[in-house]
């Protein structure tokens, strides 16, 4: 593995963009070096859940037309990192208050799954963009 393996994606907010995230991950894993299957699975769950939340909440709040997000993936010998930026309205949430939805609920699990899957999830609103950073240390 090179010292840093980087891949990025710029996508319209749409259901098809979640597929593009899957495709980006698939090509990135080929270069990211040896990653424990458990670590890889956990990181991928978190990335896909955040992508799905960006799409779902952007569409619900404002419609998807004209909305975009970026995803930057980085693999170093120490960690796997994903950084999303989207141009939706500020996500008003307290990550420390996120809990898993009840078993009967149809939604509300994405952030809880992401938080449980990786070592850190951070969100901030900066320069008119939501910025999500996920990190998973390599075991």
């Amino acid at each position: 593995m090179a010292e840093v393996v980087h891949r990025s994606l710029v996508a319209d907010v749409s259901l098809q963009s979640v597929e593009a995230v899957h495709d980006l991950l698939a090509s990135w894993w080929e270069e990211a070096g040896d990653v424990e299957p458990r670590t890889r699975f956990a990181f991928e769950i978190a990335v896909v859940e955040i992508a799905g939340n960006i799409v779902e909440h952007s569409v619900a709040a404002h419609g998807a037309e004209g909305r975009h997000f970026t995803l930057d993936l980085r693999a170093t010998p120490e960690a796997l990192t994903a950084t999303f930026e989207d141009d939706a309205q500020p996500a008003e949430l307290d990550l420390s208050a996120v809990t898993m939805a009840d078993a009967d609920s149809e939604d509300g699990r994405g952030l809880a799954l992401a938080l449980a899957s990786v070592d850190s999830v951070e969100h901030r609103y900066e320069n008119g963009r939501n910025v999500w950073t996920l990190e998973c240390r390599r075991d």
Side-chain angles (χ1 to χ4, degrees):
M1 177 184 113
E3 190 66 23
V4 176
V5 177
H6 176 256
R7 291 286 178 107
S8 62
L9 169 73
V10 177
D12 294 330
V13 171
S14 68
L15 291 177
Q16 292 80 12
S17 64
V18 177
E19 240 353 271
V21 168
H22 279 283
D23 293 344
L24 181 69
L25 283 163
S27 66
W28 182 67
W29 289 126
E30 294 174 10
E31 296 178 38
D34 290 332
V35 178
E36 293 291 323
R38 184 177 187 278
T39 302
R40 178 177 170 160
F41 183 69
F43 186 77
E44 197 155 332
I45 284 174
V47 170
V48 170
E49 288 297 337
I50 296 298
N53 275 3
I54 289 170
V55 170
E56 178 183 355
H57 294 289
S58 292
V59 170
H62 312 286
E65 190 170 332
R67 298 277 179 201
H68 301 87
F69 72 88
T70 62
L71 169 58
D72 287 308
L73 298 173
R74 289 190 185 279
T76 67
E78 297 79 29
L80 308 171
T81 306
T83 304
F84 286 93
E85 293 188 22
D86 69 71
D87 56 4
Q89 295 298 312
E92 296 181 16
L93 58 103
D94 177 1
L95 289 175
S96 67
V98 172
T99 59
M100 186 62 74
D102 294 332
D104 295 335
S105 297
E106 292 186 25
D107 56 13
R109 290 178 184 82
L111 280 178
L113 281 171
L115 286 164
S117 297
V118 295
D119 295 305
S120 70
V121 176
E122 298 175 1
H123 172 267
R124 66 187 184 281
Y125 192 73
E126 182 176 272
N127 299 321
R129 300 179 66 78
N130 289 294
V131 180
W132 296 89
T133 304
L134 294 72
E135 185 175 273
C136 192
R137 289 184 299 277
R138 295 176 94 143
D139 294 331

